[in-house]
Amino acid sequence: MHSTEIEIRTGGSAVVTDLTREVERFLADTPNGAEDGLLHAWVPHATAGLAILETGAGSDDDLLAAIDELLPRDDRWRHRHGSHGHGRDHVLPAFLPPYATVPVLGGSLALGTWQSVCLVDTNIDNAVRRVRFSFLVG
């Protein structure tokens, strides 16, 4: 197994950050080269998740709008520390888990044409995130 951790600065607003290039760099740096196996990504945070989705064509904004509709940033949440409505950020990982696993074939991610590995962070109180990538040999 080969593993590394990167730091992502997400800023002060809800964001979808495409991590696909970072994953590809990680696979390229795998000792002896990545061939067939699994890429596992993990976000060790209680208020962020990972998703496989299309970016750049509006889907990332649509996802954030859907999260706002499904999990409004308001006073309904019992978890009340932090910014207004921050409790919803703690519910997010139940809908967008803090992990994703993608097949790697011949050293390349086996993603569909429009798929990307993305960090989804709605927590405006924490602008720095860590993401761990692990390559598991098949």
Side-chain angles (χ1 to χ4, degrees):
M1 182 175 85
H2 174 61
S3 188
T4 196
E5 190 170 271
I6 64 169
E7 184 177 282
I8 301 291
R9 295 196 173 275
T10 58
S13 61
V15 294
V16 175
T17 303
D18 189 339
L19 302 175
T20 308
R21 284 195 176 113
E22 285 85 352
V23 172
E24 290 168 342
R25 276 193 287 275
F26 163 72
L27 291 173
D29 290 342
T30 299
N32 302 319
E35 284 299 320
D36 292 353
L38 295 173
L39 176 280
H40 184 76
W42 169 253
V43 180
H45 299 282
T47 57
L50 292 166
I52 308 294
L53 75 152
E54 177 182 9
T55 61
S59 297
D60 37 357
D61 291 331
D62 289 341
L63 175 60
L64 293 175
I67 291 168
D68 283 341
E69 188 173 320
L70 182 63
L71 305 170
R73 188 174 288 284
D74 59 20
D75 291 329
R76 75 183 68 203
W77 309 103
R78 290 181 184 97
H79 187 107
R80 294 194 184 263
H81 78 83
S83 61
H84 177 75
H86 174 64
R88 73 89 177 249
D89 300 324
H90 286 273
V91 175
L92 177 74
F95 294 89
L96 288 169
Y99 58 87
T101 302
V102 179
V104 175
L105 301 173
S108 298
L109 291 169
L111 292 169
T113 302
W114 304 112
Q115 290 180 316
S116 296
V117 179
C118 298
L119 170 67
V120 181
D121 185 8
T122 61
N123 182 356
I124 61 175
D125 297 332
N126 186 352
V128 179
R129 298 303 184 156
R130 293 174 304 153
V131 183
R132 175 159 293 283
F133 301 135
S134 300
F135 177 66
L136 309 162
V137 179

